[in-house]
C-alpha cells in the first residue's frame, strides 16, 4: 500500500477510535450510542480545524469593528439614538450608543446577509465533498454506520456549526457592547421599554432564530456537497448560490418569487424586538426553512445513497 493511501486510512482509523463511547466495546455498530459517538467525533473534528477557527475569528471580529466604529463616530455619547422605528441594521445602529445590548442585534443584522451564511456554505459544501476529495469517504463508509446515518451526522454537525457561529457573533457583540457603551433597559422597536434581563433573553432568542434561519441553506449546501468530489468546488458552488439568491431577492421585478427564496425572511428576526413579538414573518421563515430542509435533505439522501464511491 502506498503512503498516499495510508494517510487517509490512518486518519479514518483514528476517527473510528474516537467515535466509540467509553465502555462500548460490546455495542452494536448501529446502536444509538454508536451514532452519538460518531456525531460527537464529527463535531469535535469540525471545531478543531484551523479553517473553522479562522471562520469563527472573522465572525467575532465583525461586532468589534462595528462597536469601535460607532464609538469613534459618536465619541461614546448617547446622541445618535433617534426614534425606535422599524427595520434592522440602521435602527439598531442608532440605538447602540444608548445601550450596548443593541450591538448584538446590529452585529447579527450585519453578518446574516453575507458573512454567516458564507461561513455555513463553506462548512456544508465541504461536508461530503471534502471527505471524497481527501480520500477518506470510502473508508468512512466501510465502517458499519450506513450512508443514511453518516449523512444525518454530517448535517447535524453543520447545524451545530450554525448555532456556534451565531453564538460567537452574539457573544462577541455583547462583550464589546458592554465594554464600550452603557447597558440597561431596552427600548423595543414598538417604543416600549423592557428590563435588561428580558433584553438579554430577547438577544438569545434572536441568535436562536438566526441559527434556525440558516438550516435551509445548510441543507442546500449539503446537497451540493453530494454532487461533486471536489471540496473547493462544492464550497464555491454553495457560496455562488447564496450570492445569486441574494441578488434575486433584491430585484423588485421578481417579487413574485421572493417568498420562496431561502433568504427572503432572514431579517424577520427584528420582530423579536417588538412588544409583543410579531410572529407572522418569523413563522413564515421557519416554514420556508423546513421546506428547504425537506426538499434538499431528501435530494441529498437520494444522491448520496445511490452514489458510486470508488475513490
Amino acid at each position: 500500500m502506498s503512503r498516499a493511501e495510508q494517510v487517509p486510512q490512518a486518519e479514518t482509523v483514528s476517527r473510528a477510535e474516537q467515535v466509540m463511547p467509553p465502555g462500548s466495546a460490546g455495542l452494536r455498530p448501529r446502536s444509538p450510542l454508536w451514532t452519538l459517538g460518531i456525531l460527537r467525533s464529527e463535531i469535535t473534528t469540525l471545531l478543531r480545524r484551523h479553517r473553522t477557527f479562522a471562520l469563527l475569528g472573522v465572525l467575532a471580529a465583525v461586532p468589534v469593528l462595528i462597536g469601535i466604529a460607532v464609538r469613534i463616530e459618536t465619541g461614546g455619547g448617547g446622541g445618535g439614538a433617534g426614534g425606535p422605528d422599524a427595520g434592522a441594521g440602521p435602527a439598531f445602529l442608532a440605538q447602540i450608543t444608548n445601550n450596548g445590548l443593541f450591538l448584538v442585534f446590529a452585529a447579527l443584522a450585519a453578518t446574516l446577509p453575507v458573512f454567516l451564511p458564507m461561513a455555513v456554505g463553506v462548512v456544508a459544501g465541504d461536508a461530503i465533498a471534502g471527505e471524497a476529495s481527501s480520500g477518506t469517504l470510502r473508508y468512512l463508509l466501510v465502517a458499519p454506520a450506513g450512508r443514511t446515518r453518516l449523512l444525518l451526522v454530517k448535517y447535524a454537525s453543520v447545524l451545530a456549526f450554525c448555532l456556534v457561529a451565531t453564538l460567537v457573533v452574539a457573544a462577541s457583540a455583547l462583550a464589546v457592547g458592554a465594554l464600550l457603551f452603557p447597558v440597561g433597559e431596552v427600548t423595543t422597536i414598538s417604543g416600549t421599554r423592557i428590563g435588561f434581563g428580558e433584553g438579554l433573553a430577547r438577544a438569545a432568542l434572536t441568535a436562536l432564530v438566526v441559527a434556525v434561519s440558516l438550516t435551509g441553506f445548510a441543507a442546500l449546501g449539503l446537497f451540493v456537497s453530494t454532487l461533486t468530489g471536489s471540496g473547493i468546488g462544492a464550497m464555491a458552488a454553495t457560496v455562488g448560490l447564496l450570492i445569486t439568491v441574494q441578488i434575486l431577492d433584491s430585484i423588485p421585478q421578481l417579487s413574485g418569487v421572493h417568498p420562496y427564496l431561502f433568504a427572503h425572511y432572514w431579517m424577520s428576526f427584528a420582530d423579536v424586538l417588538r412588544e409583543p413579538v410579531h410572529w407572522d414573518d418569523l413563522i413564515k421563515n421557519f416554514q420556508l426553512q423546513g421546506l428547504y430542509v425537506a426538499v434538499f435533505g431528501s435530494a441529498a439522501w437520494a444522491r448520496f445513497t445511490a452514489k458510486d464511491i470508488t475513490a
Side-chain angles (χ1 to χ4, degrees):
M1 180 181 294
S2 66
R3 180 174 180 82
E5 292 174 331
Q6 291 175 0
V7 171
Q9 186 176 17
E11 177 184 344
T12 306
V13 170
S14 175
R15 292 173 64 180
E17 293 173 350
Q18 295 176 19
V19 303
M20 292 294 292
S24 62
L27 289 176
R28 291 182 296 107
R30 299 197 181 191
S31 68
L33 283 179
W34 180 280
T35 303
L36 289 176
I38 296 176
L39 178 58
R40 180 190 63 187
S41 173
E42 190 64 36
I43 294 176
T44 302
T45 302
L46 173 62
L47 295 180
R48 285 180 176 177
R49 288 176 177 169
H50 296 300
R51 179 179 59 208
T52 303
F53 280 115
L55 292 173
L56 295 178
V58 170
L59 292 174
V62 174
V64 177
L65 295 176
I66 295 176
I68 292 176
V70 173
R71 176 77 181 190
I72 293 176
E73 180 68 21
T74 63
D85 54 302
F92 292 149
L93 283 173
Q95 294 285 346
I96 291 176
T97 53
N98 283 345
N99 194 331
L101 185 59
F102 273 92
L103 184 58
V104 175
F105 306 104
L108 290 173
T111 56
L112 183 55
V114 178
F115 295 106
L116 266 173
M118 188 172 293
V120 172
V122 169
V123 173
D126 188 61
I128 299 295
E131 299 280 9
S133 62
S134 65
T136 59
L137 183 58
R138 62 174 176 173
Y139 294 107
L140 287 176
L141 293 178
V142 169
R147 295 194 181 198
T148 299
R149 189 163 301 196
L150 178 61
L151 188 67
L152 289 174
V153 166
K154 287 290 186 180
Y155 183 59
S157 67
V158 177
L159 294 185
F161 177 80
C162 292
L163 181 60
V164 169
T166 305
L167 291 179
V168 164
V169 174
S172 174
L174 181 61
V176 174
L179 181 64
L180 297 181
F181 306 100
V183 293
E185 289 188 337
V186 176
T187 302
T188 67
I189 292 177
S190 304
T192 59
R193 297 180 69 84
I194 59 177
F196 178 70
E198 185 176 351
L200 278 177
R202 296 287 184 100
L205 179 58
T206 298
L208 181 60
V209 168
V210 171
V212 173
S213 299
L214 296 170
T215 56
F217 179 61
L220 175 59
L222 187 67
F223 169 64
V224 173
S225 187
T226 64
L227 299 178
T228 177
S230 170
I232 296 178
M235 288 185 282
T238 304
V239 174
L241 286 173
L242 168 67
I243 297 173
T244 301
V245 167
Q246 294 283 34
I247 292 174
L248 294 177
D249 197 40
S250 66
I251 300 177
Q253 291 79 2
L254 299 177
S255 59
V257 302
H258 287 173
Y260 304 100
L261 301 176
F262 59 78
H264 183 65
Y265 294 106
W266 276 356
M267 303 306 292
S268 64
F269 76 82
D271 290 339
V272 173
L273 205 59
R274 299 182 187 275
E275 184 62 36
V277 176
H278 289 189
W279 290 100
D280 291 348
D281 283 349
L282 289 170
I283 292 176
K284 289 179 182 178
N285 181 32
F286 298 154
Q287 291 174 338
L288 183 62
Q289 302 310 319
L291 177 63
Y292 270 81
V293 170
V295 171
F296 288 100
S298 299
W301 174 82
R303 169 63 180 170
F304 187 58
T305 54
K307 189 175 182 179
D308 181 21
I309 300 172
T310 58

